[in-house]
Amino acid sequence: MLKAVIVDDEPKAIQSLIWELSNFKEDIVVTQSFTSPEDALKYLASNTPDCLFLDVQMPTIGGFQFLEQLEQINFAVVITTAYDEYAIKALKHEAIDYLLKPIDSDDLRETIAKIKKHSDRNLNAEKLERMLSNFNSKFDKKRITINTDGKLLFLDVDDIIYVESDGNYSTLFLNEKKKIVITKKLKEVDAILPDHYFFRIHNSYIINLNKIKAFIKNEGYVVMDSDHKIPVARQRKSDFLEKL
């Protein structure tokens, strides 16, 4: 049974969608609904549904702004809107589908089928990632597994020079001037990387401690093996020096 959350500033729109979803009660159930996006953000910070039905136009926080404020999006997102112009933007924000209001039952049936596929794929990928992470932590301390965009990346930590944040994405800068962009926030990447090799030196950067070429104390930055200059956050400087 899929668990759904609805966020829409119009109570009538929520009631209408709940009624439409009740026609598929064997497949999906609405566990929570919110007219306040702020309350929804608090709820999603500690709860993970299978899917989120999200209105685009809300007065305090718009739908796409709402998605950008989430720490992580590990559920299917369905945009609900009265305006077809938002469709392309919805897809760019990694929504698996969008529904035009008033919502058509046939469209909703297709959307639920997509949510099911998304949920099954994520579940299998997460199980595999956990299994591989456990294996790597026990037997291979210098290798990590990252689940992103439905695929698993296997990386040797010695190949990673530093990681840079870009909102909901992170860029891994590797040896030989290679780089990989992944759909994970820096906080998530930090949790994966072994802390005896890596250090979050700034809100926007994690560095490989073994790839530091120089530390320019009076200017407050490090020079990496790739010759990139990475700033050292003032509040992290003492912890960084201890690590060194």
Side-chain angles (χ1 to χ4, degrees), residues 117-183:
K117 286 182 181 179
H118 179 277
S119 181
D120 290 343
R121 184 168 61 246
N122 271 3
L123 185 62
N124 290 333
E126 285 170 10
K127 281 182 178 177
L128 182 56
E129 183 181 19
R130 281 197 300 271
M131 182 185 72
L132 289 167
S133 294
N134 290 336
F135 177 85
N136 290 339
S137 65
K138 290 177 181 178
F139 303 106
D140 191 350
K141 303 288 186 182
K142 301 182 77 174
R143 193 170 175 84
I144 61 166
T145 308
I146 296 176
N147 176 20
T148 181
D149 281 343
K151 62 184 178 183
L152 291 167
L153 301 177
F154 304 94
L155 297 173
D156 190 319
V157 296
D158 286 337
D159 287 338
I160 303 170
I161 299 172
Y162 70 96
V163 187
E164 182 177 4
S165 170
D166 183 15
N168 290 325
Y169 297 83
S170 294
T171 303
L172 281 67
F173 290 83
L174 311 176
N175 292 329
E176 300 177 0
K177 296 183 179 180
K178 295 178 182 177
K179 63 181 180 180
I180 300 172
V181 179
I182 62 173
T183 52

